[in-house]
Amino acid sequence: MSDFLVVGGGVIGMMTTLQLADAGHSVTLVERGQCGREASWAGGGIVSPLYPWRYSAPISRLSAWSEGRYPELSLRLLEETGVDPEYRQKGLLYLRVDDEPAAMAWAREVGKPLERVSGDFLYGKEPEAAPGCEEALWMPTLGSIRNPRLARALRTRLDDMPWVTLCEECEVTGLREQGGRIVAVETTTGELQGDQVVVCGGAWAASVLATVGVELPVRPVKGQMILFRAPPGLVRRVVLMDGRYVIPRADGQVLAGSTLEEAGFDKSLSESAKASLWTSATRIVPALADCEVAHHWAGLRPGSPDGVPFIGAVPGIANLHVNAGHYRNGLVLAPASTHLLVDELLGREPIVDPVPYRLGGGRLAGCSGGPARD
């Protein structure tokens, strides 16, 4: 029996496992497929909510804590594994923001560098950006990371840690409860045990908890993206317009995303979504129209009613915990949300007030409201 059994091998599950193993605990990580190959692999890697001023305080607190940790984490993983997560701090340009006063007020309140810049400044930074813009908003400190490489670096590190056991291609089919505790985790390859069980199953977290009668309002929300094969330097930094974005990689490839679709667990691709993404991307950077679309894929985000993740102990079951429901901000919030849960698991002082993320008090019964408008 491991000290901890973590269900779900995305970035949330792997960061949780890494922190617990760093603290000297034995951890078994169970993943239905390959670690880091679901939503963690599919996203764009912007380490901030797209429009951070539109989010609630609980999300903002986790986001602010996480954003400052990515440079250090990226360097650590590169040193320990040889895999470069490609953290880049090139800033973000916002085109056509319809609630600029709210954005500027938010920036003043939280002390974030955000400024209105001229068209000359914009095209000096991004010569190929949409023509005709007389001004833009500029956030110089924003960074991005390459999701698949971050996931590969985390998995490589965990694979080298003697107190970590990775169980991939091992789907959890149920939790077995006895006397108010989880005594076994049932999987397609047999039963596993852990003194404490942590569910980090993303869009699948609700189905795992449902096996012990816990109704977690987390659902899959499909997002489709495309990738352009572009020459290096065509796009230099993240550019966002009308809720869609382009994200450059160091080798010149440019991601464009993303859709929001209520389609259950269906990850099929559609030509209409591809066309919509192409249109948005070529409006942001017209020169992308001359570049080949190399890939088109979809992922399933773990949507929650208000966009705030569920983090903490499951009421009524002494050794069961959850970290799920991050919606569009799983990568954004991962360092903070996992640290907050590990603080609770190990009895440490929490990095932020844990109350807004706890289960119970109406959050399990179905929350009112909706996620922030991106």
Side-chain angles (χ1 to χ4, degrees):
M1 177 185 291
S2 296
D3 296 333
F4 296 92
L5 193 153
V6 177
V7 178
V11 164
I12 300 291
M14 287 193 286
M15 284 193 186
T16 301
T17 300
L18 177 61
Q19 292 174 47
L20 290 169
D22 278 343
H25 295 278
S26 59
V27 189
T28 297
L29 177 61
V30 186
E31 167 53 39
R32 60 191 298 273
Q34 294 290 311
C35 286
R37 292 294 298 179
E38 289 290 350
S40 298
W41 171 85
I46 303 172
V47 296
S48 167
L50 296 183
Y51 297 93
W53 56 89
R54 298 176 183 172
Y55 282 83
S56 64
I59 295 176
S60 297
R61 282 192 287 268
L62 292 179
S63 173
W65 197 94
S66 287
E67 192 173 342
R69 297 310 185 274
Y70 267 112
E72 177 185 351
L73 176 63
S74 183
L75 287 173
R76 172 194 171 174
L77 291 172
L78 174 60
E79 179 68 24
E80 293 178 343
T81 69
V83 179
D84 186 1
E86 289 190 13
Y87 176 80
R88 292 159 49 94
Q89 192 170 353
K90 299 290 186 179
L92 185 151
L93 285 162
Y94 292 94
L95 311 184
R96 297 207 312 227
V97 175
D98 61 8
D99 57 348
E100 181 183 317
M104 302 307 293
W106 167 85
R108 289 191 297 270
E109 181 180 351
V110 302
K112 193 77 171 177
L114 179 69
E115 59 182 310
R116 183 189 302 110
V117 295
S118 67
D120 288 343
F121 181 97
L122 162 63
Y123 296 114
K125 291 289 185 184
E126 286 295 327
E128 299 296 335
C133 294
E134 296 182 357
E135 62 180 26
L137 293 183
W138 166 238
M139 187 182 292
T141 58
L142 186 133
S144 64
I145 202 161
R146 198 162 183 167
N147 302 42
R149 297 196 179 197
L150 172 64
R152 180 151 54 96
L154 285 167
R155 191 202 177 284
T156 300
R157 178 64 187 127
L158 295 178
D159 204 30
D160 287 339
M161 302 182 85
W163 292 104
V164 173
T165 301
L166 297 178
C167 299
E168 297 180 305
E169 304 295 344
C170 180
E171 184 174 358
V172 172
T173 57
L175 305 176
R176 184 149 56 84
E177 179 189 1
Q178 182 177 320
R181 293 181 60 85
I182 301 301
V183 295
V185 175
E186 299 166 345
T187 78
T188 50
T189 60
E191 288 190 349
L192 297 171
Q193 294 180 318
D195 186 56
Q196 301 288 324
V197 177
V198 184
V199 176
C200 303
W204 289 266
S207 60
V208 173
L209 292 177
T211 64
V212 287
V214 176
E215 295 183 11
L216 186 74
V218 170
R219 70 195 190 283
V221 181
K222 181 162 70 172
Q224 298 187 53
M225 299 184 71
I226 59 175
L227 177 73
F228 291 89
R229 185 171 288 121
L234 178 68
V235 183
R236 303 173 185 177
R237 55 193 45 77
V238 180
V239 185
L240 182 61
M241 184 173 76
D242 300 334
R244 294 276 176 90
Y245 52 79
V246 294
I247 306 171
R249 300 306 195 200
D251 56 9
Q253 297 184 98
V254 178
L255 281 74
S258 63
T259 65
L260 284 171
E261 305 171 55
E262 297 285 350
F265 286 94
D266 174 19
K267 288 201 299 181
S268 62
L269 305 177
S270 70
E271 286 301 313
S272 61
K274 182 179 180 182
S276 174
L277 292 166
W278 186 91
T279 298
S280 295
T282 56
R283 284 175 178 165
I284 299 171
V285 178
L288 287 172
D290 298 324
C291 300
E292 175 192 1
V293 175
H295 297 290
H296 174 206
W297 68 95
L300 299 176
R301 308 175 184 90
S304 55
D306 54 5
V308 177
F310 295 90
I311 306 170
V314 174
I317 304 178
N319 64 335
L320 182 60
H321 314 266
V322 67
N323 195 347
H326 299 74
Y327 193 43
R328 303 189 76 175
N329 295 308
L331 194 76
V332 174
L333 306 180
S337 69
T338 55
H339 201 293
L340 179 60
L341 181 59
V342 172
D343 285 344
E344 179 179 301
L345 293 171
L346 302 185
R348 304 184 309 209
E349 183 73 20
I351 56 169
V352 298
D353 181 5
V355 173
Y357 316 98
R358 286 178 179 164
L359 290 75
R363 292 206 76 206
L364 286 181
C367 306
S368 61
R373 175 177 67 92
D374 269 346

